[in-house]
Amino acid sequence: MRILSMGEAMVELGQSDQPGLWRVGIAGDTLNTAWYLRRLLGGDWQVDYLSRVGQGAFSQQMVDFLTAEGIGTAHVGRDPDSEIGLYAISLKGGERSFAYWRDTSAARRLADDPAVLDAALDGAALAYFSGITVAILPPEGRANLLAALARAKAAGTRVVFDPNLRPRLWADAATMRQGISDAAGGADLVLPSFDDEATHFGDADPQATVTRYLALGAGQVVVKNGGGPIRFGGRDGTGTVTDLEPETPVDSTAAGDSFNAGYLAASLSGADCAAAIAAGHDLSRKVIRHRGALVAEAL
């Protein structure tokens, strides 16, 4: 059984415990989720990554990292004229802010060829992508990706989407809302974060987020809520999970990405929606106790 995660991975600069020094790693929202899924799931599952990188040392470092972590790289294309992007994380009170250098990232061309997308998605049990995945693509690439996902869904692939709203990656707010809505409407499962949805879509409460995405065509919606009660709804059940233990973050990087992995791993193992939410929350709590996106100590 195979999972395909799709998106952009970058060089990550994170603050170390020593003043003036930075940690260098490889991370990115869909890669983070793939990394946690690979560690959570047993050997019956293959986790692959679809992206595009350059020919330089940082790109090779990323491919080598994926290989070392057991994540398949057969669908990572090479671009002779570009490199992977870079981002730096700054922390204040456990909350992170980012600075990016990604305008010429090779990943912007990951969906140029529909045949490449179809080959990568062929036979995948689950395909996972995010709002960042679609945001970095040019309009033609965005259309190619959503069309390929629709074909895969018709063939039996479960399509999972995290809106992961990043306004700076979009031309304007209206384009962002439309792009996110188009992507979510074709998904079997949507995993939004309520604070983002309230800010950019005007949702009054998590139920409004559930209702809006279901109306667009999503099969199931689970609304992350910053450690608060999580509302869910759709064909896999409706309700609210309230007994979630809070956590004060050391670093909130990958809080949502790890939640998604914990949720999906539990769901793929047969858990119902409420139990999968509890598993996702538990993993996220452990991750945010540490610095960085990929935290082996949380597993």
Side-chain angles (χ1 to χ4, degrees):
M1 296 180 285
R2 187 167 68 91
I3 294 170
L4 180 70
S5 186
M6 300 172 285
E8 180 182 31
M10 295 180 285
V11 177
E12 178 194 72
L13 297 180
Q15 293 174 323
S16 74
D17 294 329
Q18 300 181 50
L21 296 180
W22 294 76
R23 295 176 294 101
V24 179
I26 301 291
D29 67 333
T30 56
L31 173 58
N32 300 341
T33 298
W35 187 87
Y36 284 108
L37 279 170
R38 173 65 283 153
R39 293 194 168 216
L40 289 168
L41 294 170
D44 290 338
W45 284 93
Q46 177 180 339
V47 179
D48 291 343
Y49 198 60
L50 183 147
S51 191
R52 193 167 176 86
V53 302
Q55 301 283 0
F58 280 124
S59 289
Q60 188 60 49
Q61 181 181 344
M62 174 189 148
V63 173
D64 292 343
F65 172 78
L66 293 176
T67 301
E69 294 297 324
I71 298 171
T73 60
H75 306 294
V76 177
R78 292 279 190 169
D79 190 316
D81 302 316
S82 302
E83 253 293 353
I84 62 173
L86 179 149
Y87 73 101
I89 304 169
S90 298
L91 291 171
K92 185 175 182 180
E95 290 301 321
R96 80 272 197 225
S97 60
F98 300 95
Y100 292 99
W101 296 265
R102 72 196 312 175
D103 289 347
T104 59
S105 168
R108 291 180 177 272
R109 301 184 59 193
L110 67 85
D112 280 4
D113 188 342
V116 169
L117 296 174
D118 286 340
L121 287 160
D122 184 33
L126 186 148
Y128 175 78
F129 72 121
S130 75
I132 292 176
T133 309
V134 295
I136 65 171
L137 300 177
E140 182 178 358
R142 197 173 299 153
N144 287 344
L145 177 61
L146 297 187
L149 285 164
R151 291 190 292 271
K153 181 181 177 182
T157 298
R158 182 186 182 192
V159 176
V160 180
F161 176 64
D162 180 346
N164 215 350
L165 297 162
R166 296 293 183 268
R168 288 184 294 178
L169 295 177
W170 296 87
D172 53 59
T175 302
M176 178 182 72
R177 287 191 290 268
Q178 187 61 58
I180 294 298
S181 297
D182 290 344
D188 294 291
L189 171 65
V190 179
L191 295 161
S193 296
F194 177 64
D195 54 351
D196 287 343
E197 304 296 324
T199 298
H200 301 295
F201 282 93
D203 294 345
D205 52 43
Q207 180 57 49
T209 303
V210 171
T211 300
R212 176 169 53 81
Y213 281 123
L214 291 178
L216 290 170
Q220 182 78 9
V221 183
V222 175
V223 185
K224 292 167 285 188
N225 195 19
I230 293 181
R231 183 69 179 166
F232 63 95
R235 62 189 177 211
D236 296 328
T238 298
T240 304
V241 177
T242 58
D243 54 341
L244 300 172
E245 188 175 351
E247 186 72 44
T248 301
V250 171
D251 179 355
S252 58
T253 303
D257 306 332
S258 58
F259 174 94
N260 294 350
Y263 179 95
L264 290 172
S267 177
L268 291 169
S269 299
D272 64 18
C273 193
I277 287 170
H281 177 75
D282 183 60
L283 177 58
S284 182
R285 283 184 61 238
K286 294 174 181 175
V287 168
I288 64 175
R289 294 172 187 165
H290 305 271
R291 293 184 184 272
L294 306 180
V295 181
E297 296 90 337
L299 298 163

